[in-house]
Amino acid sequence: MKLSLQMISKSFDENLVLNNVSFHVNNGEFVTLLGPSGSGKSTLFHLIGGMMSPDEGTIYLNGENVNGKRGLISYMPQQHSLLPWRTVLQNVVFGQEFSKKPDLEKAREWLNKVGLGSYEKSYPYQLSGGMKQRVAFIRALMSPQPFMCFDEPFSALDEFTRADMQQWLLSIWEQDRRSILFVTHSIDEAIFMSDRIYILSARPATVLKEIQIAFPRPRGKELMLSNEFLTYKRDIYESLQRTKGELVLNENH
């Protein structure tokens, strides 16, 4: 599933948030948007998800104009957004209930793969933060839409849990290889996770730079200590510094 944004602009009242933003995500790619706080990353997700329409420009999904069209992507927000009155299993299949009969067998299979098989009857309050994020990811994975958007899904986790979740998400994604658009404030996270990174300017956001991450997959945590990783980090930091925005230089923020 390929996503393409062409010359997207969006304003709220007199406040220009996005200014001629263009980028793409190829089929099976993991692409990250990286930029300062308030640069319009979440607004881009709202546009891609059809919750609002751009003032100018076009969003294409597999060549189809999807401006203002909802229900075409799977979305994982910053918070897990699990429904507290539903069990883990019921939360996982929630997205399927709107389009088809829930596939409980597949849901149980995924829960077993991520080590949560024994928690299918548990409720969200009984889970740790990392476990809740795993459930939220499997829910997104179980949704029928082939394109996935992640809006800082690990930002609320502590440093060590966050590092484990990054590794875990990549290991699961390797089995599925859906197209992913990922948003983060963390330079380390962007480099470690991505095939490509788009650096956004401060508001009004435009694309400053595209960076291809050449590390092979699968990737291990030791990658973050390599000279090549630090070279990418320095390059991205210098680009972001020019935006005069808020930066996160590592996972501990």
Side-chain angles (χ1 to χ4, degrees):
M1 180 65 69
K2 181 175 181 178
L3 174 75
S4 178
L5 279 72
Q6 297 184 8
M7 304 298 288
I8 298 297
S9 294
K10 182 67 179 179
S11 297
F12 296 98
D13 297 325
E14 302 300 317
N15 184 17
L16 181 62
V17 177
L18 303 173
N19 183 27
N20 292 331
V21 173
S22 297
F23 64 84
H24 69 279
V25 181
N26 292 319
N27 186 43
E29 245 190 336
F30 197 122
V31 173
T32 293
L33 299 179
L34 185 62
S37 293
S39 60
K41 299 183 295 296
S42 293
T43 299
L44 279 168
F45 271 8
H46 292 154
L47 292 169
I48 294 168
M51 290 176 278
M52 58 181 70
S53 296
D55 298 331
E56 297 179 12
T58 309
I59 302 170
Y60 294 98
L61 201 57
N62 268 5
E64 178 187 351
N65 183 334
V66 295
N67 284 13
K69 296 183 180 179
R70 301 188 181 189
L72 301 178
I73 65 166
S74 176
Y75 175 66
M76 184 172 171
Q78 294 182 28
Q79 302 298 324
H80 56 77
S81 301
L82 300 181
L83 300 176
W85 59 89
R86 294 176 71 110
T87 65
V88 165
L89 182 62
Q90 290 169 342
N91 267 289
V92 163
V93 299
F94 179 71
Q96 291 187 327
E97 294 177 358
F98 298 95
S99 59
K100 62 179 182 179
K101 183 178 179 181
D103 190 341
L104 297 178
E105 182 178 349
K106 186 176 181 181
R108 290 190 174 100
E109 179 182 333
W110 274 112
L111 287 173
N112 284 323
K113 283 183 179 181
V114 303
L116 293 176
S118 61
Y119 291 89
E120 69 168 70
K121 296 182 180 180
S122 299
Y123 289 88
Y125 77 90
Q126 297 172 299
L127 307 180
S128 68
M131 293 165 73
K132 291 174 185 176
Q133 290 302 94
R134 292 187 186 195
V135 174
F137 176 69
I138 298 303
R139 178 182 59 191
L141 203 60
M142 288 287 295
S143 297
Q145 298 87 353
F147 193 94
M148 305 178 75
C149 288
F150 290 78
D151 189 359
E152 297 187 73
F154 307 141
S155 60
L157 302 178
D158 64 81
E159 179 181 359
F160 296 105
T161 303
R162 181 171 182 159
D164 288 341
M165 286 299 298
Q166 292 166 359
Q167 188 87 62
W168 174 83
L169 189 152
L170 287 182
S171 69
I172 297 297
W173 174 72
E174 289 284 354
Q175 303 175 39
D176 187 82
R177 283 292 181 122
R178 292 195 198 183
S179 304
I180 288 181
L181 182 62
F182 193 89
V183 161
T184 183
H185 284 107
S186 168
I187 296 175
D188 283 10
E189 185 167 75
I191 298 169
F192 182 68
M193 305 286 282
S194 310
D195 294 313
R196 287 187 297 116
I197 298 170
Y198 287 103
I199 297 177
L200 300 180
S201 70
R203 186 178 295 186
T206 190
V207 175
L208 291 178
K209 193 171 187 177
E210 175 188 351
I211 298 177
Q212 185 87 30
I213 305 299
F215 296 127
R217 299 185 186 273
R219 299 173 182 174
K221 295 177 184 178
E222 67 281 357
L223 182 68
M224 295 185 177
L225 301 177
S226 68
N227 290 331
E228 292 87 351
F229 192 97
L230 295 176
T231 297
Y232 278 122
K233 186 172 179 177
R234 187 179 303 110
D235 182 24
I236 293 171
Y237 171 69
E238 290 173 353
S239 296
L240 277 171
Q241 194 174 38
R242 301 187 195 107
T243 73
K244 299 181 181 179
E246 176 186 350
L247 306 177
V248 175
L249 302 185
N250 52 53
E251 304 302 333
N252 188 15
H253 69 103

